[in-house]
Amino acid sequence: METLQMKTPLVEMDGDEMTRVLWRIIRDELICPYVDLKTEYYDLGLPHRDETGDQVTLDAANATRRLGVAVKCATITANRHRQEEYGLKEIWPSPNGTIRAVLDGTAFRAPILLPFLRPAVPGWEKPITVARHAYGDMYKAVELVTNEPGVATLEFTGESGRTQSLTVAKTKGPAVFQGQHNTEGSIRAFVRSCFQYALDTKQDLWFSAKDTISKEYDGEFRRVFDEEFANTYKVKFDALGLQYFYTLIDDAVSRVMRSKGGFVWALKNYDGDVMSDMIAAAFGSLAMMTSVLMAPDGSVEFEASHGTVTRHFYRYRAGEKPSTNATATIFAWTGALRRRGELDGLPDLVSFAGKLEAACLETMRDGILTGDLAVLVEPEHCRQIVNYEESLEAIATRLAKKMHDADRR
Ligand code: NAP
Ligand code: MG
């Protein structure tokens, strides 16, 4: 069997702990036997981020803009505890935050469904994809605590020297304040990537916020959605029979619960943070959730939405073989390979990505499950609870058969 050739390298961002262990096996045992894998490798593991003063994270993000497609392993977000554990020079910022700041994108998270993995909401028949705006609002806010009566104002000074100001509140005693912002450019990029993603995946698009209360701030998001839809996307949506609609977030929450799924739900940064965890939990396991960051310039970064699975890693380090589910990490790789194949006109690479995903799903359908899934399914769907190694071996066996069968045809 000939190995599949690639044209442009993927940006490969290695990571930490248990997902780093899975990363190597996925790469060496599932991909490299079939693909002459070309990557530009960036080690975002915490020790190497520390050695490079976090320059490697910036380099990886810039490489993503240059090459267009990246695949990222989960990484530790450093805190004081991790600083002690790894003897870090500094508490480095969240790599995902750094990458988002460079790419300025939208994070799309979608569950991977299995027929016997019933969502907690019985009516959901199709996946719900959460599109989270990844810039600003509470995540770039400034906060102030005061301890005497007084007045707070919101003031903006333009480069022209003109100022605009508003009274936030007159307080009679101790109080707390928060100043949030977003930019029109980032909102527009978010809106466009949501419409484009909905078109690419042929799904309806919902957007919800609270513009009845937040008339200017949330109103601005709604206005840009309406404007982009009317000017650019309505024709394309109509051609595919798709719908865009806006509704208030509280109404949206109850509609989502009563829906059958099968749409993209666009949300502001905080709403998306909260709702994506709710959707992930209701669909089953964190390990069955994919995540892709799409930038306005078209570059994309694929990853799993879970973390480095620290608790499993500590057991691994103690010599055990934890039952870690590699599905979302495998799907990050297949997402990136498929995209690269599409961009470079390599149909065999696209088809390989499909076969690897199918091998993964087939393993689980055959009842070979990691612990996170075993507890969610009816006993008849679980034939064997496996550790990470056995699970990846079972996937490798099924993939080998698919590749062999395809080669003979
Ligand atoms: P986590 O790694 O997502 O794991 C939380 C728990 O969820 C695990 O202990 C495990 O539960 C379960 N789980 C998650 N992924 C699983 C998988 N693939 N297979 C089986 N079970 C899985 O979150 P965390 O423990 O809060 O964070 C660990 C580290 O990851 C932190 O340093 C954090 O900064 C980082 N993090 C990184 C990213 C990212 O890079 N995108 C995202 C989130 C967190 P049981 O232990 O009950 O089996
Ligand atoms: Mg969160």
Side-chain angles (χ1 to χ4, degrees), residues 16-19 22 46 72-79 82 94-96 100 109 285-288 291 301 303-312 315 323-329 370-373:
D16 290 297
E17 301 194 314
M18 202 57 213
T19 39
L22 301 177
L46 190 49
K72 179 181 171 291
C73 180
T75 45
I76 293 170
T77 299
N79 55 21
R82 297 297 200 164
S94 146
N96 285 350
R100 276 185 214 135
R109 288 183 161 191
S285 164
L286 263 186
M288 299 293 283
S291 180
E301 182 236 299
E303 63 173 340
S305 49
H306 58 77
T308 59
V309 212
T310 309
R311 295 208 315 172
H312 292 212
R315 293 213 296 273
S323 187
T324 318
N325 185 338
T327 308
T329 307
T370 43
D372 56 319
L373 296 182

Side-chain angles (χ1 to χ4, degrees), residues 12 33 104 117 164 189 214 245 287 296 308 348 366 372 382 392 395:
E12 176 184 355
D104 181 13
L117 201 62
Q164 290 166 266
S214 172
F245 88 99
T308 59
D348 288 347
D366 287 347
D372 56 319
C382 180
L392 287 164
I395 296 167

Side-chain angles (χ1 to χ4, degrees), residues 36-334:
D36 189 12
L37 187 66
K38 281 201 178 76
T39 72
E40 223 173 76
Y41 178 83
Y42 295 87
D43 184 359
L44 266 55
L46 190 49
H48 193 241
R49 272 183 277 149
D50 195 47
E51 268 166 42
T52 62
D54 208 27
Q55 183 61 37
V56 66
T57 310
L58 266 182
D59 291 347
N62 286 320
T64 306
R65 299 200 72 165
R66 177 164 43 82
L67 294 174
V69 185
V71 56
K72 179 181 171 291
C73 180
T75 45
I76 293 170
T77 299
N79 55 21
R80 207 155 293 287
H81 164 75
R82 297 297 200 164
Q83 184 174 31
E84 277 168 33
E85 184 181 359
Y86 283 83
L88 302 177
K89 290 185 273 197
E90 267 181 51
I91 298 182
W92 304 108
S94 146
N96 285 350
T98 303
I99 294 166
R100 276 185 214 135
V102 173
L103 297 181
D104 181 13
T106 305
F108 295 89
R109 288 183 161 191
I112 300 160
L113 302 193
L114 283 171
F116 55 82
L117 201 62
R118 294 300 306 161
V121 180
W124 290 353
E125 292 166 8
K126 292 179 185 168
I128 296 169
T129 303
V130 170
R132 171 185 170 188
H133 185 208
Y135 176 81
D137 304 351
M138 191 204 289
Y139 303 82
K140 281 268 180 223
V142 290
E143 304 193 327
L144 188 66
V145 179
T146 58
N147 53 21
E148 60 170 326
V151 56
T153 51
L154 182 64
E155 187 174 287
F156 174 81
T157 309
E159 276 186 353
S160 66
R162 199 172 80 91
T163 60
Q164 290 166 266
S165 100
L166 284 174
T167 299
V168 176
K170 287 186 177 130
T171 53
K172 297 199 173 91
V176 286
F177 299 92
Q178 185 183 58
Q180 295 191 17
H181 84 283
N182 223 299
T183 67
E184 211 254 4
S186 179
I187 295 171
R188 196 169 295 280
F190 164 59
V191 170
R192 288 181 177 161
S193 63
C194 289
F195 280 122
Q196 195 53 50
Y197 185 93
L199 283 173
D200 290 347
T201 58
K202 300 192 175 54
Q203 300 185 85
D204 288 345
L205 178 66
W206 300 17
F207 171 59
S208 56
K210 193 73 180 178
D211 68 318
T212 43
I213 303 297
S214 172
K215 291 186 171 56
E216 299 300 332
Y217 200 106
D218 284 18
E220 177 71 7
F221 280 79
R222 181 177 179 180
R223 189 184 65 74
V224 179
F225 264 103
D226 287 347
E227 193 182 291
E228 287 287 333
F229 187 61
N231 294 347
T232 311
Y233 295 98
K234 186 173 186 311
V235 181
K236 298 176 187 174
F237 267 55
D238 287 350
L240 290 174
L242 300 176
Q243 270 198 336
Y244 161 69
F245 88 99
Y246 170 82
T247 186
L248 287 169
I249 181 130
D250 35 1
D251 178 50
V253 167
S254 72
R255 282 179 192 248
V256 164
M257 287 300 164
R258 288 180 277 115
S259 77
K260 290 189 159 62
F263 54 89
V264 180
W265 187 12
L267 291 160
K268 290 173 56 202
N269 210 346
Y270 171 79
D271 299 342
D273 188 355
V274 176
M275 289 302 161
S276 64
D277 278 12
M278 192 269 289
I279 299 274
F283 270 108
S285 164
L286 263 186
M288 299 293 283
M289 197 78 170
T290 61
S291 180
V292 55
L293 181 71
M294 305 187 90
D297 68 357
S299 41
V300 284
E301 182 236 299
F302 293 85
E303 63 173 340
S305 49
H306 58 77
T308 59
V309 212
T310 309
R311 295 208 315 172
H312 292 212
F313 180 65
Y314 290 165
R315 293 213 296 273
Y316 165 85
R317 223 173 29 186
E320 281 180 48
K321 293 201 168 148
S323 187
T324 318
N325 185 338
T327 308
T329 307
I330 293 174
F331 274 63
W333 274 102
T334 54

Side-chain angles (χ1 to χ4, degrees), residues 9-25:
L10 289 176
V11 178
E12 176 184 355
M13 307 184 198
D14 207 343
D16 290 297
E17 301 194 314
M18 202 57 213
T19 39
R20 190 179 178 98
V21 175
L22 301 177
W23 195 259
R24 190 121 314 270
I25 306 176

